């Protein structure tokens, strides 16, 4: 065994990789359970890849066969029901985990220097995840699948000059049809590999800048502990909790997140009485509907997803640490989270006058949070420093001004 | 590969210019090549010829009674063929729709008793359902009148028209004017 190891190590840095990046990898000892969600996201990604590959062995991406092949998986394939429910619930779990992961990053300001590239690769991951989920949702070829794809691909029709041509090109037909289904299947299979490679970039960046931690301060070496066994144990415990919740949905309530309407085969000549996207798209869908002008709505929706990337620029405060030490930022964080929940709710409602109004206000608050951040973060910093910060913190700020964040330990 | 002598030569201004020119020319040719190589793949995603061959259909409209709408499929899209009553015709001819997208009824029909429009809401493409005063879109609440003109947003446009012609009194050809 040790001979094999030696042979490999002379040709590939296997042992040193395991030692540096898994076992001894220095991790802040004060990480809370909020730091579990990155690991959980990685776990769900693997779960989705595995279940997806097995589903693809029985699924048929053909407009005439797709709906029945899903039925075939559910009724005839051995454990097909299990694999499909794992995959469907897994999609929701993926978003839940990612959204919590993002909220943690927001609360603790982990997107700030030197972790901007982690945040931006995360943004790329979010986009790829959304695209994958959207295309995957067409595959069962039910009514919601069909009309969801019809509406979202239709959004590209608002592009100036070539709108109609772009939509036809995307669909490969004048409406969503067989050509669309086949290409969505191909891309739904392709994108996860893209996701895996961005995850690798995300992790390389992580191992360069190291984990952030609840204090928001880069800890000195003596406050780091090896990843194994401390955080392998902590992550696995979190995984246990996650799996309990996940299994509840898979085994006891699998249809909870599947709209009943989607159990009716796609019908291009009849729209369901209300088109609702999956829950994880609802806040963005609500923003789309809140803007009276269609092109404006499409732009606002795109912006609402992409705007997270601007946070490292918008947050101008030099106060280290997360929302815990920043009273104004903390209030903004909670308002934002609440606002997203309101938008999620509004996105699922019929567009009556009342809900449109609520949606508009919530949309406004959504963007205002970002627009005000540069000013409020500066103001907050000024106020806090006037009141007097502990000398260590002032020292830290001076250090950072001089050497850049994370420049000096 | 180079001696110190030819190194000096390579640093002469003309040599630099030539090198820059060659660099640019190489990039340009490679760029054109990449675009040309990408084109078949981009183009393959456009509708295939069997899809395009659905571009015209003949419809028998003799069976549509006055006041009735028939929904047919053309280019994978629903098309409403509406046999309008005289009262509906005169009501529509008297108005130009709403200020969102005003248009005379005459500009929307070949024969006033037949309204032929694409049955997809111009907002996000749901299929509106027929109501007494026109159409209502269930998705986000747009309303259209009996000429397919938009009455209430969010839809920005009237229901789209399509090229068609009357082959005879009760035969329509959709897709070709
Ligand atoms: S699609 Fe008809 S109102 Fe939005």
């Amino acid at each position: 065994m040790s001979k094999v190891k030696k042979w490999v190590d002379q040709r590939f840095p296997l042992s040193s990789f395991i030692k540096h990046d898994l076992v001894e990898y220095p991790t802040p000892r004060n990480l809370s359970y909020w730091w579990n969600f990155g690991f959980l996201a990685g776990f769900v990604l693997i779960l989705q890849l595995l279940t997806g590959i097995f589903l693809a062995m029985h699924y048929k991406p053909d407009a005439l066969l797709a709906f029945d092949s899903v039925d075939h998986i559910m009724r005839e394939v051995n454990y097909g029901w299990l694999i499909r429910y794992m995959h469907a619930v897994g999609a929701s779990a993926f978003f839940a985990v990612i959204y919590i992961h993002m909220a943690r990053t927001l609360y603790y300001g982990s997107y700030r220097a030197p972790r901007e590239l982690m945040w931006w690769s995360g943004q790329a991951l979010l986009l790829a995840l959304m695209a994958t989920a959207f295309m995957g949702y067409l595959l069962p070829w039910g009514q919601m699948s069909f009309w969801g794809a019809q509406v979202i691909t239709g959004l590209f029709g608002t592009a100036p000059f070539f709108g109609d041509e772009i939509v036809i090109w995307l669909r490969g037909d004048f409406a969503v049809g067989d050509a669309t289904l086949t290409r969505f299947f191909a891309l739904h299979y392709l994108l996860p590999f893209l996701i895996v490679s961005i995850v690798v970039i995300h992790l390389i960046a992580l191992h360069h800048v190291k984990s952030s931690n609840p204090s928001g301060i880069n800890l000195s070496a003596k406050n780091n502990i090896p990843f194994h066994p401390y955080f392998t144990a902590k992550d696995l415990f979190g995984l246990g909790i996650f799996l309990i919740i996940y299994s509840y949905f898979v085994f006891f309530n699998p249809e909870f997140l599947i709209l009943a309407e989607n159990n009716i085969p796609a019908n291009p000549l009849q729209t369901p009485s209300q088109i609702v996207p999956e829950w994880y798209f609802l806040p963005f869908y609500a923003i789309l509907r809140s803007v009276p002008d269609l092109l404006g709505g499409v732009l606002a929706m795109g912006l609402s997803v992409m705007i997270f990337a601007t946070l490292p620029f918008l947050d101008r405060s030099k106060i280290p640490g997360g929302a815990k030490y920043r009273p104004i930022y903390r209030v903004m964080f909670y308002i934002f989270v609440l606002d997203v929940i309101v938008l999620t709710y509004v996105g699922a409602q019929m567009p009556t006058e009342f809900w449109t109004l609520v949606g508009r206000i919530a949309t406004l608050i959504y963007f205002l949070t970002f627009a005000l951040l540069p000013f409020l973060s500066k103001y907050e910093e000024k106020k806090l420093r006037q009141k007097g910060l502990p000398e260590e913190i002032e020292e830290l700020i001076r250090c950072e001004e001089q050497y850049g964040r994370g420049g000096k330990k | 590969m180079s001696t110190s002598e030819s190194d000096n030569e390579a640093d002469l201004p003309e040599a630099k210019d030539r090198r820059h020119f060659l660099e640019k020319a190489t990039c340009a040719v490679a760029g054109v090549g990449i675009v040309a190589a990408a084109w078949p793949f981009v183009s393959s995603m456009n509708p295939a010829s069997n899809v395009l061959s659905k571009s015209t259909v003949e419809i028998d409209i003799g069976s549509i009674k006055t006041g009735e709408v028939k929904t047919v499929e053309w280019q994978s899209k629903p098309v409403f063929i509406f046999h309008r009553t005289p009262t509906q015709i005169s009501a529509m001819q008297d108005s130009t729709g709403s200020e969102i997208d005003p248009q005379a009824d005459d500009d929307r029909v070949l024969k006033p008793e037949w309204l032929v429009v694409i049955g997809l809401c111009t907002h996000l493409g749901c299929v509106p359902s027929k109501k007494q005063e026109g159409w209502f879109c269930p998705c986000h609440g747009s309303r259209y009148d009996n000429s397919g003109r938009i009455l209430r947003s969010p839809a920005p446009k009237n229901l789209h028209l399509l090229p068609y012609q009357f082959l005879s009194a009760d035969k329509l050809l959709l897709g070709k004017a």
Side-chain angles (χ1 to χ4, degrees):
Chain A
M1 196 56 208
S2 69
K3 252 178 143 181
V4 176
K5 216 175 115 192
K6 205 168 156 214
W7 187 90
V8 173
D9 278 337
Q10 277 166 354
R11 289 153 181 84
F12 183 88
L14 185 63
S15 304
S16 72
F17 171 76
I18 291 177
K19 189 169 157 214
H20 286 129
D21 290 288
L22 292 173
V23 180
E24 286 178 8
Y25 175 64
T27 312
R29 66 177 182 182
N30 58 341
L31 292 193
S32 67
Y33 276 107
W34 294 113
W35 266 259
N36 270 32
F37 288 88
F39 168 75
L40 288 181
F43 178 83
V44 183
L45 173 62
I46 292 168
L47 204 66
Q48 290 302 83
L49 277 166
L50 285 179
T51 50
I53 287 168
F54 282 92
L55 285 177
M57 294 178 189
H58 302 282
Y59 172 77
K60 296 190 180 62
D62 178 312
L64 295 175
L65 308 173
F67 188 87
D68 291 337
S69 76
V70 173
D71 218 47
H72 160 71
I73 291 172
M74 293 299 291
R75 289 161 195 261
E76 290 154 357
V77 174
N78 293 339
Y79 295 105
W81 59 271
L82 176 65
I83 301 175
R84 170 160 182 252
Y85 280 152
M86 282 176 77
H87 199 71
V89 174
S92 283
F94 211 154
F95 277 95
V97 165
I98 286 293
Y99 286 161
I100 297 175
H101 190 57
M102 286 173 71
R104 189 271 288 159
T105 310
L106 289 180
Y107 184 88
Y108 291 102
S110 312
Y111 53 81
R112 295 199 282 173
R115 295 189 180 78
E116 297 96 324
L117 282 179
M118 293 216 60
W119 183 237
W120 291 333
S121 54
Q123 172 89 58
L125 282 170
L126 176 67
L127 276 187
L129 177 65
M130 286 180 152
T132 311
F134 163 66
M135 295 200 220
Y137 195 54
L138 179 67
L139 304 185
W141 204 243
Q143 271 290 64
M144 273 304 164
S145 302
F146 180 91
W147 286 98
Q150 183 85 348
V151 167
I152 301 297
T153 51
L155 293 182
F156 289 88
T158 57
F161 307 119
F162 301 110
D164 291 341
E165 282 78 8
I166 293 175
V167 173
I168 292 177
W169 180 74
L170 283 174
R171 293 174 179 164
D173 199 334
F174 301 100
V176 169
D178 188 53
T180 326
L181 176 62
T182 321
R183 69 187 52 183
F184 273 30
F185 178 66
L187 295 175
H188 184 70
Y189 211 116
L190 165 76
L191 279 179
F193 295 98
L194 193 73
I195 292 182
V196 169
S197 38
I198 308 176
V199 165
V200 171
I201 294 174
H202 200 66
L203 287 179
I204 292 177
L206 172 70
H207 282 226
H208 186 65
V209 297
K210 305 286 187 282
S211 285
S212 62
N213 68 76
S215 77
I217 297 165
N218 289 309
L219 299 183
S220 59
K222 73 171 193 309
N223 284 320
N224 288 328
I225 47 176
F227 190 78
H228 182 73
Y230 298 107
F231 288 99
T232 36
K234 192 161 186 159
D235 277 346
L236 286 177
F237 180 76
L239 179 65
I241 304 279
F242 167 82
L243 284 177
I244 290 172
I245 301 169
Y246 175 77
S247 307
Y248 163 74
F249 281 106
V250 171
F251 293 103
F252 296 97
N253 214 344
E255 299 275 336
F256 180 68
L257 293 164
I258 298 179
L259 294 161
E261 192 86 39
N262 217 31
N263 296 326
I264 303 169
N267 179 357
L269 297 186
Q270 201 206 333
T271 313
S273 58
Q274 203 206 350
I275 297 185
V276 199
E278 293 282 83
W279 69 268
Y280 37 81
F281 289 137
L282 286 174
F284 310 105
Y285 188 62
I287 289 176
L288 168 74
R289 292 198 309 190
S290 292
V291 182
D293 174 65
L294 180 55
L295 179 58
V298 174
L299 292 177
M301 180 174 72
L303 187 66
S304 67
V305 180
M306 292 308 297
I307 202 166
F308 290 104
T310 62
L311 272 176
F313 302 116
L314 296 186
D315 187 353
R316 290 163 65 218
S317 169
K318 291 201 187 90
I319 307 289
K324 204 172 158 204
Y325 308 105
R326 300 174 58 190
I328 299 183
Y329 184 83
R330 187 169 62 229
V331 172
M332 287 174 87
F333 171 82
Y334 284 120
I335 291 180
F336 184 75
V337 170
L338 207 72
D339 189 58
V340 171
I341 293 172
V342 169
L343 280 170
T344 307
Y345 189 78
V346 172
Q349 303 309 308
M350 276 287 208
T352 57
E353 239 151 72
F354 172 72
W355 287 118
T356 312
L357 184 70
V358 176
R360 290 199 173 141
I361 295 171
T363 303
L364 203 69
I365 295 177
Y366 188 98
F367 288 111
L368 266 185
T369 332
F370 290 96
L372 292 181
L373 185 57
F375 311 105
L376 289 180
S377 59
K378 253 295 117 16
Y379 171 80
E380 175 189 61
E381 183 198 326
K382 218 174 86 196
K383 273 272 139 68
L384 284 177
R385 292 177 91 167
Q386 264 170 14
K387 263 202 339 214
L389 289 168
E391 185 45 35
E392 298 94 318
I393 304 266
E394 285 291 351
E395 165 79 32
L396 217 88
I397 295 176
R398 274 197 298 278
C399 261
E400 270 160 17
E401 271 168 358
Q402 217 169 335
Y403 302 98
R405 249 184 108 91
K408 192 183 171 222
K409 293 276 142 73
Chain B
M1 115 192 177
S2 59
T3 65
S4 65
E5 199 182 337
S6 65
D7 264 352
N8 292 339
E9 208 173 287
D11 284 340
L12 291 176
E14 314 86 84
K16 258 191 190 154
D17 281 352
R18 277 172 58 187
R19 218 160 42 215
H20 283 157
F21 172 75
L22 281 174
E23 273 167 11
K24 278 188 197 132
T26 313
C27 288
V29 172
V32 171
I34 288 171
V35 171
W39 178 246
F41 296 94
V42 173
S43 173
S44 75
M45 286 175 71
N46 266 323
S49 48
N50 67 320
V51 173
L52 290 175
S53 71
K54 294 184 292 188
S55 61
T56 60
V57 274
E58 264 182 53
I59 307 287
D60 189 5
I61 52 173
S63 60
I64 309 175
K65 296 200 212 66
T66 4
E68 252 182 30
V69 188
K70 187 172 177 187
T71 307
V72 298
E73 198 176 335
W74 169 76
Q75 296 195 343
S76 338
K77 286 181 272 207
V79 168
F80 297 151
I81 302 177
F82 181 22
H83 194 170
R84 300 192 291 186
T85 64
T87 30
Q88 286 164 338
I89 295 173
S90 60
M92 284 305 107
Q93 283 173 340
D94 288 345
S95 88
T96 54
S98 66
E99 71 283 7
I100 303 174
D101 187 11
Q103 196 180 21
D105 187 60
D106 278 350
D107 297 337
R108 299 184 51 79
V109 290
L110 291 182
K111 295 183 183 171
E113 54 276 33
W114 294 103
L115 175 76
V116 183
V117 287
I118 294 180
L120 291 175
C121 180
T122 55
H123 182 224
L124 295 177
C126 297
V127 181
S129 43
K130 188 75 185 84
K131 295 274 140 67
Q132 194 53 41
E133 19 14 299
W135 280 271
F136 171 73
C137 180
C139 289
H140 315 104
S142 291
R143 281 177 192 287
Y144 301 89
D145 67 7
N146 276 323
S147 183
R149 290 174 300 207
I150 179 70
L151 292 183
R152 198 176 92 183
S153 326
K157 288 246 149 54
N158 300 335
L159 289 181
H160 288 302
L161 304 173
L162 62 153
Y164 66 94
Q165 55 183 279
F166 286 90
L167 296 176
S168 67
D170 51 11
K171 257 218 153 51
L172 264 186
L173 179 68
L174 301 184
K176 209 159 114 203

